[in-house]
Amino acid sequence: MPEKIRKTEEEWKELLTPEQYSTLREKETEQPDSGKFYRFDGDGVYACVACGNRLFRSDTKFDSGSGWPSFWAAVSDDALETAPQLATLGERTEVTCARCGGHLGHVFDDGPKPTGLRYCINSVSLDFVPAGETTEGKATPEKTAAG
Ligand code: FE
């Protein structure tokens, strides 16, 4: 299990941008097709922008047509937490970061095989770590611009 991160709302306000705060801590949803990762298809891993917890691999990202980055699986069973959430149009399943509790989006059961899941995630909640990049931010030389 990832070690839990707990901060006061004041601490989160200092750490996050106003847009990140309203999504991660106040569960706001970004406008469809407004986020930087919806039409992005880089090779790597998406992490929680608030705490760095690794959430989704780029090879599970798919174009759902929804306007939000969509994934059919999490990086691991313990990366995310889900909970029922009452919404205007009935009940939805909320997805939060298992480490910091930040709101990421929702999960639906109309996704593609093999899982049938569709994690519908706000771009603003995510950070992208390109494949081969380490915590020091150095890329490995195995990828070249050739081809
Ligand atoms: Fe987090």
Side-chain angles (χ1 to χ4, degrees):
M1 283 293 287
E3 196 178 329
K4 300 273 186 192
I5 291 177
R6 294 189 197 286
K7 295 182 187 295
T8 66
E9 291 309 302
E10 284 307 311
E11 287 171 325
W12 283 123
K13 267 183 190 165
E14 283 187 19
L15 196 68
L16 302 171
T17 68
E19 192 187 23
Q20 289 168 347
Y21 184 86
S22 70
T23 299
L24 286 155
R25 309 307 310 178
E26 299 181 321
K27 308 185 192 300
E28 292 293 330
T29 298
E30 71 192 12
Q31 290 300 305
D33 205 0
S34 70
K36 60 182 175 181
F37 293 129
Y38 177 50
R39 295 173 191 279
F40 177 81
D41 66 352
D43 180 21
V45 172
Y46 295 84
C48 172
V49 78
C51 76
N53 186 27
R54 293 156 62 92
L55 303 172
F56 302 102
R57 291 200 321 265
S58 61
D59 59 3
T60 64
K61 189 173 188 290
F62 68 102
D63 181 6
S64 64
S66 67
W68 292 277
S70 301
F71 305 87
W72 50 261
V75 154
S76 62
D77 288 343
D78 58 7
L80 306 175
E81 287 179 355
T82 57
Q85 182 188 44
L86 282 174
T88 318
L89 300 172
E91 194 178 274
R92 294 186 297 181
T93 302
E94 182 192 8
V95 178
T96 55
C97 171
R99 183 189 270 169
C100 74
H103 174 81
L104 302 171
H106 297 88
V107 61
F108 303 93
D109 60 6
D110 57 5
K113 291 178 180 178
T115 61
L117 297 175
R118 172 170 62 94
Y119 289 94
C120 185
I121 304 298
N122 292 289
S123 289
V124 69
S125 300
L126 299 174
D127 195 13
F128 180 72
V129 183
E133 198 158 287
T134 69
T135 47
E136 299 115 79
K138 301 268 186 187
T140 60
E142 64 197 16
K143 282 201 158 185
T144 70

